[in-house]
Amino acid sequence: MLFFTQCFGAVLDLIHLRFQHYKAKRVFSAAGQLVCVVNPTHSLKYAPTRCAAAQASAEQGILPPCHHHEAVHDPQLVPCTCPLFSCPWEGHLEVVVSHLRQTHRINILQGAEIVFLATDMHLPAPTDWIIMHSCLGHQFLLVLRKQEKYEGHPQFFATMMLIGTPTQANNFTYRLELNRNQRRLKWEATPRSVLECVDSVISDGDCLVLNTSLAQLFSDNGSLAIGIAITTSKVHSSEAEM
Amino acid sequence: MLFFTQCFGAVLDLIHLRFQHYKAKRVFSAAGQLVCVVNPTHSLKYAPTRCAAAQASAEQGILPPCHHHEAVHDPQLVPCTCPLFSCPWEGHLEVVVSHLRQTHRINILQGAEIVFLATDMHLPAPTDWIIMHSCLGHQFLLVLRKQEKYEGHPQFFATMMLIGTPTQANNFTYRLELNRNQRRLKWEATPRSVLECVDSVISDGDCLVLNTSLAQLFSDNGSLAIGIAITTSKVHSSEAEM
């Protein structure tokens, strides 16, 4: 009996994997772009009290403090920038990428344009979907977060951070694009530096924000495909174009 | 004394008008597009109970009923589509535009691409900014609404409706674009028909949605410039492009 149950479980897993692959392939064939299937991680960092405190301070216009541990004594050292875990690690900016890959198992993708396919959008908040993106000689961290800023009303927040300094970040523009059901939503902005803390970017709402209803319109079988492109910015003259 | 107070009031009004004109002209010169300054109207239609009922039904997945009066007996007649007022008028679809212009004093603009400059974004919800847009042989209604879907957290909702049937609406694509402070947000969709009711489009969140913080980032001195473009849609093949 146990054998049959295990066999049935294995078959279900295979079907699920095949389905994920099919979904990814479909977007991939349509776009000719690299697709990365990103599974969710239920964030371990956010105790409800921490979220509430961050929300309250954001509403009062005060940024929540952004340190994962007491203080960084050596100005050359930065704390772990992984938004998922309270991690005691600290190190030089140059080794943040290898720390994120090795310790937090965050995937890294190459290419100027990729498709980020976040699965299981229905999972309860707080949940994060994270990858690193290597492009134009730099590494970027893409964070999609499901969070309840207003109790009972989860929203999705997507942003891109440069694993580098704020001055370096100013040289780039990132674009996130959703495209489905005869609707298209594009967000373009200068990436923030990971030194600035992803939590405060999301509390400020200075990112792509989706209500649950809109996320459902853009998702396909519980997965949300986000097209990502990074370019070097041209002296920010784009404002005059509109 | 009264004379001096009146003079002072008149001078203040002049300064305000001059300032609005200057703001519009600045966007206009930058873009070479027609700018329409749209003043807000505090919506008289929404009693708090009506809003709460609409919200509750939207959350349960039921669309709120969308009739401004009891019933339309003649199928050829449509009720007044003005989202601002509970208006007892009903008439043929062809005369909706003249009713909106004459009775509700809604401006109409010509041109494929225009800039909608909504003033006084700080006014409390519920507030609407409305214009009509004449383009490609049809008239469209642009509605920007500030509404509290979640109590104490006003959001901005922008959508475009065709003053025509749903079948006619399917032939078009509208684009709303915000562009300021090195950020750009674009929403593209098929317009809904005014027969479908703007209230339910907004309750569903199937439109451009802005949190207050994002609206502030995109606005300039309390005014929000939204670039509008309408095109005929090409068999909706755009989904494959991403």
Side-chain angles (χ1 to χ4, degrees):
Chain A
M1 185 65 196
L2 185 68
F3 174 74
F4 283 113
T5 316
Q6 279 183 344
C7 277
F8 184 66
V11 167
L12 275 185
D13 282 354
L14 272 172
I15 290 171
H16 183 72
L17 272 172
R18 180 80 210 144
F19 181 64
Q20 296 277 23
H21 180 74
Y22 165 74
K23 277 198 294 194
K25 212 175 158 190
R26 209 171 41 163
V27 183
F28 178 76
S29 341
Q33 285 168 342
L34 182 64
V35 176
C36 178
V37 176
V38 186
N39 293 312
T41 315
H42 191 77
S43 183
L44 300 174
K45 203 175 66 177
Y46 308 99
T49 47
R50 187 183 184 281
C51 282
Q55 248 186 54
S57 55
E59 278 154 18
Q60 291 157 24
I62 308 156
L63 298 184
C66 185
H67 39 74
H68 302 259
H69 43 111
E70 289 302 294
V72 181
H73 300 293
D74 181 343
Q76 298 263 290
L77 296 180
V78 294
C80 170
T81 56
C82 178
L84 289 175
F85 308 100
S86 290
C87 167
W89 181 89
E90 65 181 28
H92 289 265
L93 201 52
E94 294 75 29
V95 289
V96 166
V97 173
S98 61
H99 168 73
L100 291 176
R101 289 188 74 166
Q102 286 157 18
T103 312
H104 302 294
R105 310 244 163 226
I106 297 177
N107 281 332
I108 190 159
L109 286 167
Q110 304 278 338
E113 296 197 14
I114 59 169
V115 175
F116 175 99
L117 190 75
T119 64
D120 305 310
M121 302 292 290
H122 63 277
L123 287 181
T127 300
D128 281 316
W129 292 257
I130 298 175
I131 52 159
M132 279 187 291
H133 181 189
S134 176
C135 166
L136 302 169
H138 284 82
Q139 277 76 39
F140 299 83
L141 192 68
L142 179 80
V143 182
L144 170 69
R145 176 170 296 169
K146 187 175 185 177
Q147 191 174 310
E148 288 189 14
K149 258 184 129 174
Y150 317 127
E151 215 186 310
H153 301 282
Q155 289 180 298
F156 292 89
F157 303 85
T159 189
M160 204 136 201
M161 320 274 294
L162 176 77
I163 301 176
T165 64
T167 316
Q168 287 172 322
N170 276 334
N171 298 323
F172 298 97
T173 299
Y174 74 97
R175 192 184 71 214
L176 305 179
E177 183 172 341
L178 302 168
N179 192 352
R180 209 178 161 263
N181 271 327
Q182 294 160 31
R183 287 160 186 84
R184 192 188 290 233
L185 187 63
K186 270 191 205 179
W187 164 258
E188 261 180 53
T190 304
R192 301 283 193 95
S193 154
V194 283
L195 302 177
E196 289 180 62
C197 176
V198 70
D199 293 0
S200 64
V201 172
I202 287 171
S203 311
D204 294 354
D206 185 12
C207 53
L208 178 66
V209 186
L210 285 179
N211 286 339
T212 317
S213 53
L214 211 50
Q216 272 168 358
L217 277 169
F218 281 115
S219 61
D220 181 19
N221 272 310
S223 293
L224 187 73
I226 305 179
I228 304 167
I230 295 174
T231 50
T232 47
S233 41
K234 304 154 204 143
V235 206
H236 303 306
S237 61
S238 62
E239 278 174 44
E241 281 171 32
M242 197 176 92
Chain B
M1 184 61 197
L2 185 68
F3 174 73
F4 283 114
T5 316
Q6 278 183 343
C7 278
F8 184 65
V11 168
L12 275 186
D13 283 353
L14 272 172
I15 291 171
H16 183 70
L17 274 171
R18 180 82 209 143
F19 181 63
Q20 296 277 25
H21 180 74
Y22 165 74
K23 276 196 294 191
K25 210 175 159 189
R26 209 169 40 161
V27 183
F28 178 76
S29 344
Q33 284 167 342
L34 182 64
V35 176
C36 177
V37 176
V38 187
N39 294 313
T41 314
H42 191 75
S43 183
L44 300 174
K45 203 175 67 176
Y46 308 99
T49 47
R50 188 182 184 283
C51 283
Q55 245 185 59
S57 55
E59 277 155 19
Q60 290 158 26
I62 310 156
L63 297 185
C66 186
H67 40 72
H68 302 259
H69 42 110
E70 288 301 294
V72 182
H73 301 293
D74 182 345
Q76 299 262 291
L77 296 180
V78 293
C80 170
T81 56
C82 178
L84 288 175
F85 307 100
S86 292
C87 168
W89 182 89
E90 64 181 27
H92 287 265
L93 200 53
E94 295 74 28
V95 287
V96 167
V97 172
S98 61
H99 168 73
L100 291 176
R101 289 188 74 168
Q102 285 157 19
T103 312
H104 301 295
R105 311 245 162 225
I106 297 176
N107 281 331
I108 190 158
L109 285 167
Q110 304 278 337
E113 296 198 14
I114 59 169
V115 175
F116 174 100
L117 190 75
T119 63
D120 305 310
M121 302 292 290
H122 64 276
L123 287 182
T127 300
D128 281 316
W129 291 258
I130 298 175
I131 52 159
M132 280 188 290
H133 181 189
S134 176
C135 166
L136 302 169
H138 284 81
Q139 277 75 40
F140 299 83
L141 191 69
L142 178 81
V143 181
L144 170 68
R145 178 170 296 169
K146 186 174 185 177
Q147 191 175 310
E148 287 189 14
K149 259 183 127 174
Y150 317 126
E151 214 186 309
H153 301 283
Q155 288 180 299
F156 292 89
F157 302 85
T159 189
M160 204 135 200
M161 321 276 292
L162 176 77
I163 302 176
T165 64
T167 316
Q168 288 173 321
N170 277 334
N171 298 322
F172 298 98
T173 299
Y174 74 97
R175 192 184 72 214
L176 304 179
E177 183 171 342
L178 302 168
N179 192 352
R180 208 177 162 265
N181 270 329
Q182 293 160 33
R183 287 159 186 85
R184 191 188 292 233
L185 187 64
K186 270 191 206 180
W187 164 259
E188 259 179 54
T190 304
R192 301 284 193 94
S193 155
V194 281
L195 302 177
E196 290 182 60
C197 176
V198 69
D199 293 1
S200 64
V201 172
I202 288 171
S203 310
D204 294 354
D206 184 12
C207 53
L208 178 65
V209 186
L210 285 180
N211 286 339
T212 317
S213 53
L214 212 50
Q216 272 168 357
L217 277 168
F218 281 114
S219 61
D220 181 18
N221 272 311
S223 294
L224 187 72
I226 306 179
I228 304 167
I230 296 175
T231 50
T232 47
S233 42
K234 304 153 206 146
V235 208
H236 302 304
S237 61
S238 62
E239 277 173 44
E241 282 169 29
M242 199 177 89

